[in-house]
Amino acid sequence: MTLRRQFDLRHDFLNPLVRIANHLVVKWSLIIKFLDIAIRLISNQAQTFSSANRTAVFARLLSSILLGAVVTRGALFTDPSQLSSTKKYDYIVVGAGPGGSVVANRLSENSSVNVLLIEAGISDEGVLPVEVPFLAAQLEPNTPFCWNYTTTPQSGLNGRVVQYPRGKMLGGSSSINFMVWTRGSQDDFNRYAAVSGDSGWSWESLQPYWQKIEKLVAPADNHVITGEIDPSIHGTSGPLDITLPGYPEFPFNLDMNSGNTIGVGWAQYTIGDGSRASSSTAYVEPFLSRANFDVLIQTQVTKVIQTGTQSGTPVFRGVQFAQSSSGPRYALNATTEVILSAGAINSPQILMLSGIGPKSQLSKLGIKTVVDLPVGGNLSDHALLSNQFTVSQPDVIDTITRNSTLANAAVGQWLETKTGVMVDGPGNHIGWIRIPKNDSIFKTQTDPSAGPTSSHFEFLFLPGFVSLNAAAPATGNFMSVFTNVVSPSSRGSVTLASTDPFAFPNINPAFLSTIFDVYTMRYAVKSLQRFVAAPAWSGYVTGQAGDFAGVTTDSEIDAWARSQTDTVWHPVGTASMSPCGSDTGVVNPDLTVKGVIGLRVVDASVLPYVPAAHTQAAVKVAEFEPWLCRAT
Ligand SMILES: Cc1cc2nc3c(=O)[nH]c(=O)nc-3n(C[C@H](O)[C@H](O)[C@H](O)COP(=O)(O)OP(=O)(O)OC[C@H]3O[C@@H](n4cnc5c(N)ncnc54)[C@H](O)[C@@H]3O)c2cc1C
């Protein structure tokens, strides 16, 4: 990816620092020696940071080390042995992404309730590429901030294996994501209400909770946002900063978070004061001083443990955890509940390792099935295809990434004043578009979308050459547009590869594996070609670029899609909710696991369909009344 090309500073010197910081070698002599090495490494990165910025970067690195290495503030622990042996936890929450951070925060609002949040990854605090919005592309794949997963070979993508990173730090994937904030459509949520049999999941029921989550703040450049968003539908005092980009491109459609997403409009971002707003910055870090809220990082839950039986129903209130595959195993019981929020890949993995999953698969690995549930099935994700165009004027991304002096200055400006190009994510506008209902595809294929306010595909506009597979050209001006299939009919799975909790599971998102999804991707590319041929683009877009240059016919588009398609990083559905009493899902509408007591899943796994939206907002299910009011 273009951004990765120039901003690979982290791979060169930040990784070793973070790793050391997180392995707790807390000796001043070592730290000083380490910083000495860091300075020398930074000096070698002259193309990335000028000496003027080194002091500020140095300060950040120092704070990263200190915060990661010492049991510093409030209740942030880095080793299970630091937990009090006498403190009882009412709730143990596993995973600090949007699901787990929110649930741990809201439960610990009640000072008489003790909450322990266990996170496998490191602290996000002081990690520069996490804080600087423009550097988001530096955070994955193959970094210490991720579970560096890959998919199984994808038959719909010529057998290619696709990188499948998930966030592994406080904030989970919200600390490494691209910060786009889209709630989804009213049809997406009304479908959740319909399939779960619980009206609490409907768009209307959830309205107060969006207000509770959001804090609409001014863009970093303080421009007037009239005509770019509808402030009346947004919260102004929630913990999570939401804003608009600070540089304009394609103006139109007022607010895609109104419940009707269809059309092209300004993207909204989880950015505030020029910095990333993540589930950690909004729900965890500011609340560490609560005496009843403990957070244990760098510790992986290896399974949930059955602690008894109640009227014949197994009770799962225990967790087992460890810091490495060879390290000691620890165990702890919650007095009320264990809440799994390890995300759509890891929550099903933990459930299956604990004997909760499909008997046919568990028995093959010698795992005794306690409850036979379709865990790990129904994996649903958005497929992403990046299409590049040549343009007549210099673009933002290539201008910055090709010019280290400019990049230096931009990072320096961000460090000093939190202004400039670094305050924004990589794009400005998004389009959500439906295939017309009289299209021939619907004669043979059922429409998998939630309804008329949910799109079939997305355009995501990026000012530069962005490809997940090809290197950016050294010269020329570009615009890239992602075409994403956002109401897919393909369904994949997460299965165990091994009984070792530290081994990666098999991940098969089954990209472009159905007629409808292949057709939708083709339709989206053709629609994009029509879109950029409109008079408004005349003189700006001058042609298709890179390997996309000669792609015109249906078969060329299909071949292009199969050779380039990747993930939008939006897996859901692997522990889907279904009505109480139904055996088709894994959790009930209140997110309790079917057939057991004391165990809930609160993360992307529970959404039975992927919303036609970027998923971090919908994963804030933890804020939603249907389960929370019953849990506390
Ligand atoms: C690269 C990338 C870009 C994205 N861009 C966007 C975007 O721009 N907009 C958007 O809306 N969405 C985006 N997403 C998706 C969004 O971030 C996710 O939908 C959301 O974070 C999912 O939340 P979650 O709580 O289910 O899981 P996660 O955010 O994945 O959090 C799970 C947490 O659990 C921890 N964990 C896992 N296993 C264990 C264990 N065994 N023990 C302890 N802890 C464990 C993980 O380390 C992680 O911190 C992106 C995702 C990625 C990866």
Side-chain angles (χ1 to χ4, degrees):
M1 194 168 185
T2 308
L3 288 179
R4 265 174 215 133
R5 192 171 41 120
Q6 298 282 342
F7 283 112
D8 262 354
L9 62 122
R10 182 207 57 251
H11 293 301
D12 297 325
F13 68 85
L14 192 56
N15 280 3
L17 292 182
V18 172
R19 262 191 236 120
I20 293 266
N22 284 291
H23 283 97
L24 285 181
V25 190
V26 196
K27 285 210 171 135
W28 273 107
S29 58
L30 249 177
I31 289 177
I32 287 161
K33 191 166 175 206
F34 209 71
L35 292 175
D36 182 48
I37 295 167
I39 291 168
R40 275 189 276 120
L41 284 167
I42 293 167
S43 306
N44 290 338
Q45 295 293 318
Q47 88 279 17
T48 312
F49 278 108
S50 69
S51 57
N53 294 329
R54 278 184 207 142
T55 314
V57 174
F58 180 82
R60 286 303 173 95
L61 292 171
L62 177 59
S63 83
S64 278
I65 289 172
L66 294 179
L67 288 168
V70 187
V71 182
T72 45
R73 298 156 305 116
L76 183 67
F77 300 111
T78 55
D79 191 308
S81 63
Q82 295 157 349
L83 294 175
S84 157
S85 56
T86 52
K87 192 166 183 179
K88 298 261 181 248
Y89 292 102
D90 299 278
Y91 294 92
I92 299 175
V93 182
V94 181
S101 300
V102 177
V103 72
N105 176 304
R106 293 303 182 195
L107 288 170
S108 63
E109 274 178 347
N110 179 345
S111 61
S112 66
V113 168
N114 281 337
V115 178
L116 173 64
L117 175 61
I118 304 179
E119 166 55 45
I122 59 174
S123 168
D124 58 315
E125 193 163 343
V127 182
L128 193 69
V130 172
E131 291 182 7
V132 183
F134 196 81
L135 298 183
Q138 293 302 295
L139 296 164
E140 51 76 33
N142 299 323
T143 73
F145 313 120
C146 298
W147 301 84
N148 293 302
Y149 293 139
T150 50
T151 65
T152 56
Q154 295 294 286
S155 58
L157 308 182
N158 304 331
R160 280 190 302 119
V161 164
V162 172
Q163 300 275 5
Y164 214 72
R166 310 303 306 156
K168 187 178 184 183
M169 64 196 315
L170 286 184
S173 300
S174 77
S175 290
I176 68 159
N177 71 16
F178 289 94
M179 298 155 285
V180 175
W181 179 253
T182 52
R183 296 172 177 176
S185 75
Q186 50 187 281
D187 287 318
D188 286 326
F189 286 90
N190 291 338
R191 176 159 67 174
Y192 295 149
V195 298
S196 69
D198 189 328
S199 62
W201 284 95
S202 71
W203 177 258
E204 202 180 323
S205 303
L206 297 178
Q207 285 317 298
Y209 300 98
W210 296 120
Q211 308 285 325
K212 194 175 171 192
I213 294 167
E214 296 175 348
K215 182 179 182 189
L216 181 61
V217 297
D221 68 350
N222 273 312
H223 75 267
V224 176
I225 57 173
T226 311
E228 296 177 6
I229 192 169
D230 178 359
S232 71
I233 64 167
H234 291 279
T236 51
S237 58
L240 189 67
D241 288 348
I242 311 292
T243 197
L244 287 151
Y247 50 97
E249 221 169 31
F250 317 106
F252 70 93
N253 179 338
L254 192 57
D255 200 314
M256 59 186 66
N257 281 327
S258 65
N260 182 4
T261 58
I262 305 303
V264 184
W266 288 89
Q268 295 167 29
Y269 285 93
T270 47
I271 294 173
D273 191 24
S275 300
R276 173 190 294 270
S278 70
S279 295
S280 175
T281 64
Y283 289 93
V284 179
E285 300 277 3
F287 301 95
L288 285 170
S289 54
R290 285 181 186 161
N292 61 326
F293 183 21
D294 290 349
V295 181
L296 174 61
I297 58 173
Q298 298 160 214
T299 304
Q300 183 172 332
V301 167
T302 48
K303 62 176 172 176
V304 286
I305 304 169
Q306 185 174 352
T307 49
T309 308
Q310 211 172 296
S311 309
T313 305
V315 179
F316 275 81
R317 289 205 177 100
V319 290
Q320 184 192 69
F321 43 97
Q323 293 206 290
S324 66
S325 59
S326 57
R329 297 288 198 266
Y330 300 83
L332 204 56
N333 294 346
T335 52
T336 306
E337 242 177 44
V338 170
I339 296 166
L340 280 185
S341 300
I345 308 303
N346 295 48
S347 284
Q349 182 188 26
I350 296 169
L351 287 170
M352 288 189 276
L353 287 169
S354 316
I356 301 171
K359 190 172 183 180
S360 56
Q361 284 178 37
L362 300 191
S363 56
K364 280 187 204 147
L365 288 169
I367 299 172
K368 183 172 168 276
T369 305
V370 183
V371 194
D372 187 3
L373 290 173
V375 173
N378 194 43
L379 172 61
S380 184
D381 193 2
H382 296 151
L384 173 156
L385 175 63
S386 185
N387 308 282
Q388 300 83 22
F389 298 88
T390 47
V391 297
S392 58
Q393 288 156 36
D395 65 76
V396 178
I397 293 175
D398 295 308
T399 301
I400 290 285
T401 55
R402 284 183 192 142
N403 184 335
S404 56
T405 310
L406 214 58
N408 274 339
V411 173
Q413 184 181 348
W414 186 90
L415 285 166
E416 276 160 33
T417 59
K418 299 267 178 65
T419 58
V421 71
M422 293 283 149
V423 301
D424 286 327
N428 293 356
H429 289 90
I430 298 180
W432 305 99
I433 298 143
R434 280 182 69 78
I435 299 171
K437 60 178 181 225
N438 60 357
D439 190 274
S440 60
I441 188 70
F442 297 119
K443 290 190 180 131
T444 56
Q445 302 292 311
T446 308
D447 181 356
S449 76
T453 61
S454 281
S455 64
H456 293 114
F457 60 90
E458 173 188 10
F459 290 159
L460 205 153
F461 299 86
L462 299 156
F465 189 100
V466 177
S467 166
L468 300 180
N469 298 298
T475 56
N477 307 317
F478 302 95
M479 171 180 85
S480 302
V481 185
F482 290 168
T483 45
N484 301 333
V485 176
V486 294
S487 291
S489 63
S490 300
R491 290 293 181 275
S493 63
V494 174
T495 56
L496 290 181
S498 152
T499 54
D500 176 2
F502 288 85
F504 287 177
N506 300 316
I507 303 168
N508 176 17
F511 288 127
L512 303 188
S513 63
T514 62
I515 291 169
F516 182 83
D517 291 2
V518 174
Y519 183 89
T520 304
M521 190 60 98
R522 188 192 312 145
Y523 192 102
V525 173
K526 287 161 87 170
S527 167
L528 174 63
Q529 288 168 326
R530 286 194 299 277
F531 187 76
V532 298
W537 297 91
S538 172
Y540 180 67
V541 173
T542 52
Q544 294 180 193
D547 290 343
F548 184 46
V551 174
T552 47
T553 65
D554 283 7
S555 60
E556 285 166 352
I557 292 171
D558 289 355
W560 165 248
R562 290 195 194 280
S563 72
Q564 300 292 314
T565 291
D566 219 290
T567 174
V568 198
W569 313 282
H570 293 161
V572 306
T574 47
S576 291
M577 64 177 163
S578 70
C580 293
S582 159
D583 59 4
T584 57
V586 173
V587 298
N588 296 309
D590 64 358
L591 310 186
T592 48
V593 176
K594 290 169 187 281
V596 305
I597 291 170
L599 184 61
R600 226 177 265 260
V601 181
V602 184
D603 61 23
S605 323
V606 304
L607 302 174
Y609 295 86
V610 65
H614 294 247
T615 43
Q616 64 170 337
V619 176
K620 293 267 185 305
V621 290
E623 283 284 23
F624 300 160
E625 167 120 40
W627 80 271
L628 191 62
C629 63
R630 294 172 214 170
T632 49

